[in-house]
């Protein structure tokens, strides 16, 4: 049995202490991901024109990542969705991340996957002002995950790749199971969920959650 | 500590025993509710014409309830949604049930509420082929709930109005908190969630869940 009050006092004396540090219940801010696409340099040119570069529009919480000014249209066999945000910078391979609700609109069966795990994922058509790109096995629903650096991981007593449970508060409170921990020196502490998950739990960006046993 | 194997044997000898009866883990089928509206007799006439009667199209699992052939359009300050299903039979007061995702599309802030708890809920406009109806404090997001009869309630060891936790399975498994138990002799055992909640948990109608401690 851990004496939480004593633990809090000890944590307060550690270098780099921040409020509410507690190995059992440190608060983690939420980032709600709307549908978005990461584009390769080649696909940026195909969609927006030769030599085109993305225009950063808004910094994201993950260092170096940004929402670009540019948007595209997604087309599936059953429907289309306009004004889908492009995130930058360019990646090696284009990856479209949509919600299950979007899957029904588009008529696309995207599997729930970690970022980058694309084999046997779904297809779609991207349309930009200068052309279109056929995505083949490049469309997923992102598996909920927590970004963090090594120090956060130590504090929360978790390791890269581990799945944990995350508890939310409020009128639609729930416990998310199967939350993947992703540790990288460049990551900022943030629990990423999609719009379906945010709506189901009654959450918005910058609300807080806790890892539970 | 309960001997589950013995408990199962005892249950098998009870009158009305059905498979998987277990006070701790009886499986409950899911019903996913898409956006829908319950109309009063007066509003049916306002939307579809004088003397109009709903046409049953598909029976629902709850005895006596049906999806009608008729659909309406919802209009909010930011957008509209077409082909919204009318459920029958007519009720005393019109009630529109939408998802949080629908709220964003319409520009409507519907609170999470139990059916019938309408004071200070949201407004919207319903449009039908013969006219329109202004809904005033008649729009909610349904609070997740389990319908059951007295026998189910006894078997599951819960009472009307109680809130319970419900566990789901699969790749997007989670535990829903704040699930209201609703007991009535006419109710069929069914866990009702909306499309946001179904998508977030990777569930569809007729999947199963369990009440957990």
């Amino acid at each position: 049995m851990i004496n939480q009050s004593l633990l809090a006092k000890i944590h307060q004396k550690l270098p780099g202490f921040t409020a509410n540090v507690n190995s059992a219940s440190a608060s983690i801010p939420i980032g709600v991901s709307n549908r978005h696409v990461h584009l390769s340099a080649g696909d940026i040119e195909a969609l927006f024109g030769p030599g085109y570069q993305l225009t950063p529009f808004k910094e994201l919480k993950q260092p170096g990542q940004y929402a670009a000014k540019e948007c595209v249209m997604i087309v599936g066999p059953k429907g289309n969705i306009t004004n889908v945000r492009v995130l930058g910078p360019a990646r090696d391979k284009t990856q479209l991340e949509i919600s299950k609700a979007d899957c029904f609109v588009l008529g696309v069966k995207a599997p729930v996957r970690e970022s980058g795990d694309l084999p046997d994922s779904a297809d779609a058509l991207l349309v930009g002002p200068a052309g279109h790109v056929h995505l083949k096995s490049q469309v997923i629903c992102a598996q909920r995950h927590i970004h963090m650096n090594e120090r956060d991981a130590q504090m929360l007593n978790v390791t890269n790749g581990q799945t944990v449970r995350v508890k939310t508060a409020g009128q639609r409170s729930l416990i998310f199971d199967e939350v993947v921990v992703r540790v990288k020196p460049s990551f900022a502490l943030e629990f990423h969920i999609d719009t379906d998950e945010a709506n189901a739990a009654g959450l918005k960006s910058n609300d807080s959650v806790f890892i539970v046993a």
Side-chain angles (χ1 to χ4, degrees), chain A:
Chain A
M1 179 115 167
I2 297 169
N3 180 330
Q4 294 295 337
S5 148
L6 176 61
L7 194 67
K9 279 184 194 165
I10 293 166
H11 273 122
Q12 281 175 33
K13 293 182 183 168
L14 289 175
F17 167 78
T18 52
N20 293 323
V21 172
N22 179 322
S23 65
S25 65
S27 141
I28 301 171
I30 296 171
V32 179
S33 300
N34 203 344
R35 65 186 74 97
H36 63 270
V37 64
H38 304 277
L39 294 174
S40 68
D43 285 347
I44 291 171
E45 296 205 31
L47 292 164
F48 296 97
Y52 196 91
Q53 303 271 328
L54 295 178
T55 316
F57 161 68
K58 189 184 161 193
E59 277 200 330
L60 300 181
K61 191 158 185 180
Q62 296 307 315
Q65 304 293 305
Y66 60 87
K69 186 177 67 64
E70 289 77 14
C71 290
V72 294
M73 178 164 66
I74 323 172
V75 183
K78 279 198 180 172
N80 67 76
I81 299 176
T82 56
N83 296 317
V84 177
R85 187 66 58 186
V86 177
L87 300 194
R91 291 197 179 179
D92 288 346
K93 188 165 187 177
T94 293
Q95 172 176 300
L96 174 63
E97 299 179 38
I98 59 178
S99 70
K100 287 283 172 195
D102 295 337
C103 287
F104 290 115
V105 171
L106 297 167
V108 159
K109 286 191 181 177
V112 176
R113 291 283 182 79
E114 284 191 67
S115 182
D117 180 13
L118 295 178
D120 296 316
S121 66
D123 305 343
L125 180 71
L126 291 186
V127 181
H132 62 270
V133 171
H134 284 277
L135 300 186
K136 290 179 184 167
S137 207
Q138 291 167 283
V139 186
I140 61 170
C141 298
Q143 184 170 355
R144 47 206 183 215
H145 57 275
I146 311 175
H147 291 272
M148 63 182 75
N149 63 26
E150 290 288 359
R151 200 179 133 264
D152 298 322
Q154 277 182 356
M155 179 184 79
L156 293 161
N157 197 27
V158 295
T159 56
N160 186 46
Q162 185 181 346
T163 56
V164 295
R165 287 180 153 191
V166 164
K167 180 159 176 46
T168 76
Q171 197 185 7
R172 279 193 151 180
S173 65
L174 50 77
I175 297 172
F176 285 115
D177 213 339
E178 302 295 334
V179 178
V180 182
V181 172
R182 291 171 56 190
V183 182
K184 248 192 190 175
S186 65
F187 281 164
L189 184 62
E190 195 176 27
F191 175 45
H192 274 185
I193 52 178
D194 72 11
T195 45
D196 287 336
E197 293 168 322
N199 290 337
L203 298 172
K204 56 185 191 312
S205 283
N206 297 317
D207 284 345
S208 290
V209 294
F210 298 88
I211 292 177
V212 291

